[in-house]
Amino acid sequence: MVYFSKLATAVAAACLASSVIAHPGEHHDHAAVKREIVARNQMASAAKRSIDSCSNSLKHRELNARSIARREETLHSIRKARGITSKPQKYRRDLATLEVYEAVNRNETGAVNYAIGSSDTTIFSANTSCILTPEVTDGPYYVTGELIRKNVTEGQAGIPLYLEIQYLDINTCLGVPSLYVDIWNCNATGVYSGINETGNVAEGGWDSTYLRGIQSTDDDGVVSFETIFPGHYEGRATHTHLLVHDNVTVLANNTMQDGSVTHIGQLFWPETLRSAVEATYPYNTNTQAVTTNAEDTWSIVQAEDDYNPFPEFVYLGETIEDGLLAWIQVGVNVTADYSDDSYYGVAAILQADGGHQQSDNVGGGSGGGGGAPSGTGSFPTGAVPSGAAASAV
């Protein structure tokens, strides 16, 4: 069992005792956040016990075998498509400098010399034990009405990130098909698309759509996105947002609506990886203060071994500029619905005529819920991604 260090505990306690600083709109009462952290940890512990009971089943082992083969094939396919022939960098973290989960080396880059057609199960068997991510606030700047698409980069500069998420039923340890997964994160300089207000002025304003999109899980519960490694902004550790919908209605314009909210979560990234990324352009032009994982408001490293919000990853080539392949498994309760939860907040809605602010509060802890803008009586109808031609939709 991994324990929270005294230093990290002190830092997290200080965060909870002070005002939360982040993008405008992400305002949380520190006492309420503390209660939510306790509840989150209890839920994660119960879910972990449930998933442990089925993790040795034959069907789950077969699913993991398919996952290993898929990740291996994905790596080789990406390298071939991008013309990467160099061997991956022999990179290992300095374990002595890392805290809690980061003490587990999740960088699998140096495990083997990759070549097209090579076969290795060691690297791609990592994170196949139904490790859970916590259910936390969707944060500010969640936008509904985004397009169903795999590549969300829209030309944003940054380290290419090929991210695979596999959703498993915590009661069966099997993949959950037909979930619709929203992904969003800020760009390399800490700015979210779809929002245009003080503290977050996106190029394209409310109409911008970069680094946002939706994918549906396959029969093994897998979605994958082509995005970039997120930048940072003051008050939160570097993270990627995920929100899962079930029983949705897919519209003819390649968007979705309705359905339940089955899971709200965030993925986090080790400090050494973040530092390596942010030594590159344009991350190194970001002047906002860095918040470490240990300092994050939501105490992401506090739940010991009941959940793990850090994906496994490999470098695609010799240097980090070649990009990353990352993967994680997320256990979900398929009967859950967070649509009416106070931590499900909608900042804006993307419609055919562009983006529209949902309310004066951009979400992330003050209530919200989905649906149409107040008083309009219409649902999201989608829009052409910012910077894309109409024929691309």
Side-chain angles (χ1 to χ4, degrees):
M1 182 175 292
V2 183
Y3 291 94
F4 201 38
S5 75
K6 293 181 180 178
L7 173 61
T9 301
V11 172
C15 287
L16 290 174
S18 62
S19 299
V20 175
I21 301 173
H23 273 303
E26 191 167 9
H27 303 304
H28 306 291
D29 175 78
H30 69 270
V33 170
K34 188 173 183 179
R35 290 193 297 271
E36 286 293 324
I37 290 172
V38 172
R40 177 204 66 191
N41 294 352
Q42 291 174 342
M43 291 173 62
S45 181
K48 183 65 162 58
R49 290 194 298 271
S50 175
I51 214 163
D52 282 346
S53 67
C54 60
S55 59
N56 289 321
S57 69
L58 175 60
K59 288 187 176 180
H60 179 64
R61 294 199 302 271
E62 291 173 344
L63 179 140
N64 281 344
R66 292 193 297 273
S67 295
I68 292 169
R70 181 185 61 254
R71 292 162 186 160
E72 182 181 6
E73 176 58 29
T74 297
L75 174 71
H76 300 320
S77 296
I78 294 172
R79 283 171 51 85
K80 184 175 182 179
R82 297 191 58 204
I84 300 173
T85 58
S86 61
K87 293 180 179 180
Q89 178 190 25
K90 289 294 185 180
Y91 174 78
R92 289 281 184 178
R93 299 196 188 112
D94 177 6
L95 300 183
T97 66
L98 303 181
E99 296 256 34
V100 194
Y101 291 118
E102 295 179 64
V104 179
N105 184 6
R106 305 190 186 287
N107 184 356
E108 303 293 340
T109 300
V112 64
N113 288 334
Y114 299 117
I116 301 302
S118 67
S119 178
D120 184 85
T121 59
T122 301
I123 177 174
F124 295 109
S125 62
N127 202 320
T128 54
S129 58
C130 303
I131 296 173
L132 305 177
T133 58
E135 288 165 330
V136 299
T137 172
D138 62 359
Y141 307 159
Y142 174 52
V143 177
T144 62
E146 297 290 345
L147 286 172
I148 298 171
R149 56 177 180 166
K150 181 176 182 178
N151 189 328
V152 301
T153 55
E154 292 190 24
Q156 283 290 308
I159 299 300
L161 173 63
Y162 299 83
L163 179 62
E164 175 196 287
I165 311 104
Q166 185 172 37
Y167 289 91
L168 304 180
D169 186 329
I170 62 172
N171 295 307
T172 66
C173 293
L174 300 181
V176 185
S178 302
L179 298 176
Y180 280 76
V181 182
D182 257 296
I183 188 173
W184 72 101
N185 58 258
C186 64
N187 67 8
T189 55
V191 179
Y192 286 91
S193 69
I195 305 297
N196 187 36
E197 63 173 36
T198 302
N200 192 103
V201 179
E203 184 178 356
W206 297 102
D207 298 337
S208 58
T209 57
Y210 61 80
L211 306 180
R212 295 181 183 269
I214 303 170
Q215 282 282 280
S216 176
T217 57
D218 64 15
D219 289 342
D220 279 342
V222 176
V223 291
S224 57
F225 291 94
E226 297 177 24
T227 182
I228 66 168
F229 191 89
H232 73 268
Y233 58 89
E234 186 175 359
R236 292 300 315 279
T238 300
H239 59 280
T240 300
H241 292 272
L242 300 170
L243 192 147
V244 180
H245 311 262
D246 197 6
N247 298 315
V248 308
T249 299
V250 177
L251 305 178
N253 63 353
N254 202 35
T255 65
M256 49 137 284
Q257 69 178 31
D258 302 331
S260 57
V261 178
T262 303
H263 188 270
I264 301 172
Q266 298 172 19
L267 304 182
F268 295 86
W269 304 91
E271 296 298 339
T272 47
L273 178 61
R274 180 192 59 75
S275 296
V277 168
E278 294 198 339
T280 67
Y281 180 84
Y283 298 90
N284 56 11
T285 67
N286 188 348
T287 60
Q288 299 188 67
V290 171
T291 299
T292 68
N293 290 323
E295 295 168 338
D296 189 79
T297 304
W298 286 92
S299 299
I300 59 173
V301 295
Q302 195 178 35
E304 301 178 351
D305 58 356
D306 286 335
Y307 67 75
N308 181 347
F310 294 95
E312 308 288 336
F313 64 92
V314 294
Y315 283 30
L316 291 172
E318 185 175 1
T319 68
I320 200 167
E321 286 84 355
D322 288 324
L324 301 163
L325 169 63
W327 64 95
I328 193 168
Q329 288 183 328
V330 179
V332 294
N333 179 354
V334 295
T335 65
D337 186 359
Y338 296 93
S339 300
D340 295 324
D341 192 275
S342 64
Y343 286 101
Y344 173 54
V346 177
I349 293 181
L350 183 66
Q351 297 183 301
D353 61 347
H356 300 271
Q357 186 174 4
Q358 169 74 349
S359 67
D360 290 336
N361 192 315
V362 297
S366 57
S374 176
T376 66
S378 62
F379 282 93
T381 55
V384 177
S386 56
S391 60
V393 182

